[in-house]
Amino acid sequence: MKRAARLNAILDLLAAAGEVTVDELVEQFGASPATMRRDLDSLAEQRLLTRTHGGAVAQTVAYELPIRYKSHLRTHEKETIAQTAAGLVAPGMVVGLSGGTTTTAIAAALAARDDLGANGGLTVVTNAVNIAAQLATRPDIKVVVTGGVIHSRSYELVGPFVEQLLRGVRLDIAFIGVNGLDAVAGGTTQDEREAAVNRMMAERARRAVVVTDSSKLGVVAFASVGGVELFPTVITDSGADADVVSALRGAGHEVLLA
């Protein structure tokens, strides 16, 4: 396995387990302990993990992996969610997309639909620069990018300039990514600035939809985005825990399993 692939695989293991040891990595990858220590040191220098004696742990709750690494996690689930979400979009709509790997997958699903060029095409409003660049190749999709300060970890624009633009638009539907979704706490993110933008984007939409893979259900992150009053619809994957889905439905959410 090439080093770049191995580093991504280490991050995958860390995301799933929360911590890894050098001995576990040696067994997993068949590399020497010295090689695995160098890999962990390299990732620690990039602030992607915290080194411990004999291994590493995931960063604190206030920290997120950059989107370029998170995009390799649970890709199948995100693609199925994206297809279900894209199915709610009709030609001529104005669609809001927050930042995140799941919404990035939705942008790809929308770009692949040839029928969206009809009836005046499609308008996408986003605060994610990577999504804007992804859709810029489709001339029949009008892309509106908010202003703001770029968040280097998620490629999202945040701050008062974003909110200023969003106050002046109306959306038919908004797809909002979150770091956690709980029946009581609602949708939450790790960053309060992203939460504020996501909340306003949802408020500007006739229909706001939380899109999240099942690993984030039942999770409560730092900053609140909103509950069922803001997000009547949730799209997640079919691997979602039945009890968590039941709790969300009991709270009033319509839960679509992709």
Side-chain angles (χ1 to χ4, degrees):
M1 179 183 290
K2 293 183 178 180
R3 187 167 189 257
R6 190 171 66 244
L7 293 177
N8 279 332
I10 291 172
L11 291 172
D12 287 350
L13 291 173
L14 197 61
E19 62 181 318
V20 293
T21 67
V22 170
D23 290 341
E24 290 170 345
L25 296 177
V26 167
E27 182 177 354
Q28 177 78 20
F29 299 109
S32 69
T35 295
M36 300 319 307
R37 290 190 195 96
R38 283 195 296 271
D39 284 353
L40 293 179
D41 289 342
S42 175
L43 293 170
E45 288 172 2
Q46 299 176 64
R47 297 178 59 206
L48 298 175
L49 52 76
T50 299
R51 284 287 270 122
T52 62
H53 180 70
V57 296
Q59 286 280 4
T60 60
V61 69
Y63 180 81
E64 288 189 88
L65 293 178
I67 195 169
R68 64 182 178 275
Y69 289 107
K70 294 197 294 181
S71 62
H72 297 294
L73 304 177
R74 303 179 68 84
T75 54
H76 174 70
E77 290 85 349
K78 291 168 184 175
E79 288 172 358
T80 59
I81 292 168
Q83 291 299 324
T84 299
L88 301 178
V89 176
M93 275 188 170
V94 180
V95 179
L97 291 176
S98 74
T101 52
T102 304
T103 48
T104 299
I106 294 172
L110 292 174
R113 282 183 53 183
D114 295 332
D115 64 307
L116 292 179
N119 298 326
L122 184 75
T123 299
V124 172
V125 178
T126 185
N127 68 315
V129 293
N130 65 305
I131 288 177
Q134 181 178 0
L135 294 175
T137 58
R138 281 287 302 268
D140 50 347
I141 297 179
K142 178 181 179 180
V143 181
V144 179
V145 185
T146 67
V149 178
I150 191 167
H151 193 302
S152 61
R153 297 288 169 186
S154 64
Y155 305 152
E156 289 181 77
L157 296 164
V158 296
F161 292 120
V162 183
E163 298 169 18
Q164 183 177 344
L165 181 138
L166 288 176
R167 288 191 189 98
V169 301
R170 293 296 301 174
L171 311 172
D172 292 303
I173 190 168
F175 297 108
I176 307 297
V178 294
N179 296 118
L181 180 64
D182 179 78
V184 176
T188 52
T189 69
Q190 306 287 22
D191 187 283
E192 70 281 2
R193 298 166 299 172
E194 292 176 8
V197 172
N198 290 357
R199 182 165 51 250
M200 177 166 281
M201 185 176 289
E203 288 172 346
R204 303 307 297 168
R206 289 194 299 110
R207 183 182 187 184
V209 181
V210 165
V211 289
T212 181
D213 69 74
S214 58
S215 69
K216 298 172 184 174
L217 297 182
V219 174
V220 179
F222 171 68
S224 175
V225 181
V228 67
E229 75 288 345
L230 190 60
F231 300 109
T233 304
V234 174
I235 303 177
T236 189
D237 60 85
S238 59
D241 181 88
D243 291 338
V244 177
V245 171
S246 178
L248 288 170
R249 287 173 172 161
H253 294 282
E254 175 193 21
V255 181
L256 305 180
L257 299 178

